[in-house]
Amino acid sequence: MKAIVWTKYGPLDGLQLKEVEKPIPKDNEVLIRIYAATVTVGIYEMRRLKFPILLRLPIQIYNGLRKPKKITILGLELAGEIESVGKDVKRFKQGDQAYLEIVENSFLSKWQRSCIT
């Protein structure tokens, strides 16, 4: 599957369309085919890394000193359709419409590849 991958800090050329491995949901997870996603101003600023050193350094220690490693696909809100469900999921089924707003860990939240919630 394709995704916009964050490959380096700085200008927009650090975002590249790449083929990534499609995740498989665990027993209590769903896999969402994403149709739309947002990238907020906070994510934009984090990507540019135009912060004072005392703020920039903790971000780089967490995510990678020279290039992003932990968070490579950006976005905090998404909409799509549930593509598959784990065997323990009872509330949702394949084909359900989904909207997700990631608030856990706020600033450093992530959703990787398709979104597993």
Side-chain angles (χ1 to χ4, degrees):
M1 63 180 239
K2 295 183 191 284
I4 301 292
V5 179
W6 183 24
T7 60
K8 66 181 181 178
Y9 299 113
L12 287 175
D13 65 347
L15 300 174
Q16 298 177 359
L17 180 63
K18 291 188 171 192
E19 193 69 32
V20 296
E21 185 179 329
K22 185 176 182 176
I24 299 169
K26 296 177 185 168
D27 291 344
N28 63 342
E29 297 176 334
V30 299
L31 178 67
I32 300 172
R33 177 180 300 266
I34 299 169
Y35 296 133
T38 65
V39 177
T40 64
V41 70
I43 294 291
Y44 172 78
E45 293 296 331
M46 188 171 81
R47 180 191 54 76
R48 288 183 42 217
L49 225 58
K50 297 289 185 187
F51 298 114
I53 189 73
L54 291 177
L55 186 55
R56 185 175 62 229
L57 192 55
I59 292 170
Q60 287 183 278
I61 288 170
Y62 175 80
N63 198 42
L65 289 175
R66 295 185 172 269
K67 66 179 186 174
K69 292 182 181 175
K70 283 190 175 195
I71 302 171
T72 57
I73 300 177
L74 303 173
L76 295 175
E77 301 163 329
L78 61 97
E81 183 177 307
I82 295 179
E83 189 171 295
S84 61
V85 297
K87 68 177 184 168
D88 295 336
V89 175
K90 306 293 184 225
R91 187 172 174 192
F92 305 103
K93 66 183 181 309
Q94 185 176 356
D96 283 350
Q97 298 298 302
Y99 168 79
L100 178 66
E101 182 175 355
I102 300 172
V103 292
E104 182 180 315
N105 294 336
S106 92
F107 186 68
L108 295 174
S109 291
K110 65 178 180 175
W111 49 277
Q112 286 293 353
R113 302 181 181 121
S114 279
C115 183
I116 296 180
T117 58

